[in-house]
PDB file of all heavy atoms in Angstrom:
ATOM      1  N   ASP P 294      99.821  76.139 102.422  1.00  0.00           N
ATOM      2  CA  ASP P 294     101.195  75.972 102.863  1.00  0.00           C
ATOM      3  C   ASP P 294     102.133  75.846 101.664  1.00  0.00           C
ATOM      4  O   ASP P 294     101.737  76.084 100.523  1.00  0.00           O
ATOM      5  CB  ASP P 294     101.302  74.756 103.794  1.00  0.00           C
ATOM      6  CG  ASP P 294     100.824  73.467 103.116  1.00  0.00           C
ATOM      7  OD1 ASP P 294     100.638  73.471 101.880  1.00  0.00           O
ATOM      8  OD2 ASP P 294     100.639  72.463 103.835  1.00  0.00           O
ATOM      9  N   LEU P 295     103.381  75.439 101.918  1.00  0.00           N
ATOM     10  CA  LEU P 295     104.359  75.348 100.833  1.00  0.00           C
ATOM     11  C   LEU P 295     104.014  74.262  99.821  1.00  0.00           C
ATOM     12  O   LEU P 295     104.353  74.370  98.644  1.00  0.00           O
ATOM     13  CB  LEU P 295     105.758  75.083 101.419  1.00  0.00           C
ATOM     14  CG  LEU P 295     106.644  76.308 101.624  1.00  0.00           C
ATOM     15  CD1 LEU P 295     107.929  75.919 102.324  1.00  0.00           C
ATOM     16  CD2 LEU P 295     106.955  76.989 100.284  1.00  0.00           C
ATOM     17  N   LEU P 296     103.332  73.214 100.270  1.00  0.00           N
ATOM     18  CA  LEU P 296     102.930  72.167  99.334  1.00  0.00           C
ATOM     19  C   LEU P 296     101.869  72.699  98.363  1.00  0.00           C
ATOM     20  O   LEU P 296     101.941  72.467  97.158  1.00  0.00           O
ATOM     21  CB  LEU P 296     102.408  70.950 100.101  1.00  0.00           C
ATOM     22  CG  LEU P 296     103.438  70.226 100.986  1.00  0.00           C
ATOM     23  CD1 LEU P 296     102.772  69.121 101.789  1.00  0.00           C
ATOM     24  CD2 LEU P 296     104.590  69.672 100.152  1.00  0.00           C
ATOM     25  N   THR P 297     100.897  73.430  98.912  1.00  0.00           N
ATOM     26  CA  THR P 297      99.874  74.041  98.060  1.00  0.00           C
ATOM     27  C   THR P 297     100.492  75.115  97.164  1.00  0.00           C
ATOM     28  O   THR P 297     100.131  75.239  95.986  1.00  0.00           O
ATOM     29  CB  THR P 297      98.751  74.648  98.913  1.00  0.00           C
ATOM     30  OG1 THR P 297      98.144  73.607  99.683  1.00  0.00           O
ATOM     31  CG2 THR P 297      97.694  75.318  98.058  1.00  0.00           C
ATOM     32  N   LEU P 298     101.432  75.868  97.706  1.00  0.00           N
ATOM     33  CA  LEU P 298     102.111  76.905  96.925  1.00  0.00           C
ATOM     34  C   LEU P 298     102.862  76.287  95.743  1.00  0.00           C
ATOM     35  O   LEU P 298     102.866  76.830  94.633  1.00  0.00           O
ATOM     36  CB  LEU P 298     103.072  77.690  97.820  1.00  0.00           C
ATOM     37  CG  LEU P 298     103.613  79.018  97.276  1.00  0.00           C
ATOM     38  CD1 LEU P 298     102.474  79.965  96.928  1.00  0.00           C
ATOM     39  CD2 LEU P 298     104.546  79.657  98.292  1.00  0.00           C
ATOM     40  N   ASN P 299     103.484  75.136  95.969  1.00  0.00           N
ATOM     41  CA  ASN P 299     104.139  74.419  94.877  1.00  0.00           C
ATOM     42  C   ASN P 299     103.132  74.030  93.798  1.00  0.00           C
ATOM     43  O   ASN P 299     103.407  74.131  92.602  1.00  0.00           O
ATOM     44  CB  ASN P 299     104.847  73.168  95.409  1.00  0.00           C
ATOM     45  CG  ASN P 299     106.322  73.377  95.633  1.00  0.00           C
ATOM     46  OD1 ASN P 299     107.140  73.109  94.767  1.00  0.00           O
ATOM     47  ND2 ASN P 299     106.661  73.887  96.809  1.00  0.00           N
ATOM     48  N   ALA P 300     101.957  73.570  94.242  1.00  0.00           N
ATOM     49  CA  ALA P 300     100.914  73.173  93.287  1.00  0.00           C
ATOM     50  C   ALA P 300     100.439  74.364  92.465  1.00  0.00           C
ATOM     51  O   ALA P 300     100.278  74.272  91.243  1.00  0.00           O
ATOM     52  CB  ALA P 300      99.746  72.546  94.028  1.00  0.00           C
ATOM     53  N   LEU P 301     100.222  75.509  93.132  1.00  0.00           N
ATOM     54  CA  LEU P 301      99.755  76.703  92.433  1.00  0.00           C
ATOM     55  C   LEU P 301     100.809  77.236  91.463  1.00  0.00           C
ATOM     56  O   LEU P 301     100.483  77.772  90.400  1.00  0.00           O
ATOM     57  CB  LEU P 301      99.381  77.791  93.443  1.00  0.00           C
ATOM     58  CG  LEU P 301      98.134  77.526  94.290  1.00  0.00           C
ATOM     59  CD1 LEU P 301      97.982  78.581  95.381  1.00  0.00           C
ATOM     60  CD2 LEU P 301      96.876  77.478  93.424  1.00  0.00           C
ATOM     61  N   THR P 302     102.064  77.085  91.816  1.00  0.00           N
ATOM     62  CA  THR P 302     103.143  77.545  90.943  1.00  0.00           C
ATOM     63  C   THR P 302     103.279  76.647  89.714  1.00  0.00           C
ATOM     64  O   THR P 302     103.622  77.109  88.626  1.00  0.00           O
ATOM     65  CB  THR P 302     104.472  77.587  91.719  1.00  0.00           C
ATOM     66  OG1 THR P 302     104.321  78.427  92.873  1.00  0.00           O
ATOM     67  CG2 THR P 302     105.603  78.142  90.877  1.00  0.00           C
TER      68      THR P 302
END
Side-chain angles (χ1 to χ4, degrees):
D294 58 12
L295 264 175
L296 295 175
T297 299
L298 194 57
N299 262 267
L301 291 172
T302 303

